[in-house]
Amino acid sequence: MLEVNQQPPEAAAERDPEPAAQPRSKPRGEPIPDCGLTIAEAARRSRVSVHTLRYYERAGLTVSPVDRTHSGRRRYHALDLEWIRICTRLRATGMPIKDIRRYAQLVAAGRGNEKERLALLESHRDHVLAGIAELQESLRLIQRKVDIYRDRLAAGDADQLWAPHRPTDTP
């Protein structure tokens, strides 16, 4: 069970232009058959490996059990793919597996824990913003260096740029 926004669709669209955790009537891309997708097809559509899908299930990162055929083969549906997308985005932004697992547990538990979900997401957002700020500072330094090299090359005196000189080892 995924989180579902209880507001009218137009109100949700105003606040969240891409509501990732809301079920869609039409999944992105090709339609998903009623019987679901094989693990290989789900991996291809999710752009993760089959191993990753198995790991997500084994690690408790799914919000509901993945359907199985009578012979025990996994079958993935639109909501499964949407949750995989959420997990991969959280993971790509550095959220620890234990926090993704906790978030999945809270979502699976249903209503009544929204404040805890919010706190978890806000904490992660703050971590991501701090990482972005650090990357921006690094990018500014790199851009300064690029500008210096361009200027020196254009002036014809790039050979005067600083280079470390280490004392030679003399016996």
Side-chain angles (χ1 to χ4, degrees):
M1 166 187 271
L2 289 178
E3 297 175 89
V4 179
N5 191 330
Q6 298 298 321
Q7 296 179 338
E10 58 279 357
E14 288 174 14
R15 292 184 340 142
D16 190 358
E18 187 179 339
Q22 294 179 9
R24 291 174 167 70
S25 56
K26 292 183 181 177
R28 293 182 191 155
E30 307 164 45
I32 296 176
D34 290 341
C35 64
L37 301 172
T38 65
I39 193 168
E41 182 63 16
R44 183 186 70 77
R45 289 197 192 187
S46 302
R47 298 182 180 147
V48 298
S49 68
V50 168
H51 172 76
T52 297
L53 290 178
R54 288 186 183 123
Y55 173 75
Y56 280 8
E57 187 177 358
R58 195 173 53 250
L61 306 183
T62 58
V63 292
S64 62
V66 175
D67 283 346
R68 304 253 180 181
T69 64
H70 66 283
S71 60
R73 294 183 183 262
R74 291 171 177 88
R75 299 304 288 188
Y76 292 84
H77 299 278
L79 292 176
D80 299 317
L81 297 185
E82 185 62 21
W83 186 255
I84 292 163
R85 187 174 81 83
I86 292 167
C87 287
T88 55
R89 292 288 183 172
L90 293 174
R91 198 63 197 116
T93 57
M95 182 179 270
I97 293 295
K98 69 177 186 62
D99 290 349
I100 298 173
R101 181 181 302 113
R102 182 64 186 143
Y103 183 59
Q105 291 167 343
L106 291 168
V107 171
R111 295 182 179 150
N113 58 32
E114 292 80 5
K115 288 181 181 178
E116 192 174 347
R117 291 184 219 179
L118 175 62
L120 194 140
L121 291 172
E122 285 177 333
S123 173
H124 183 62
R125 179 207 53 209
D126 294 346
H127 172 77
V128 170
L129 289 171
I132 290 169
E134 188 173 323
L135 284 172
Q136 287 174 332
E137 182 61 31
S138 297
L139 181 58
R140 282 189 288 276
L141 178 130
I142 293 166
Q143 187 59 53
R144 282 194 305 272
K145 299 300 275 180
V146 166
D147 293 343
I148 290 168
Y149 277 86
R150 280 196 178 136
D151 292 348
R152 299 292 29 116
L153 285 167
D157 62 357
D159 61 336
Q160 299 300 309
L161 289 168
W162 177 81
H165 295 290
R166 291 191 168 83
T168 57
D169 290 332
T170 53

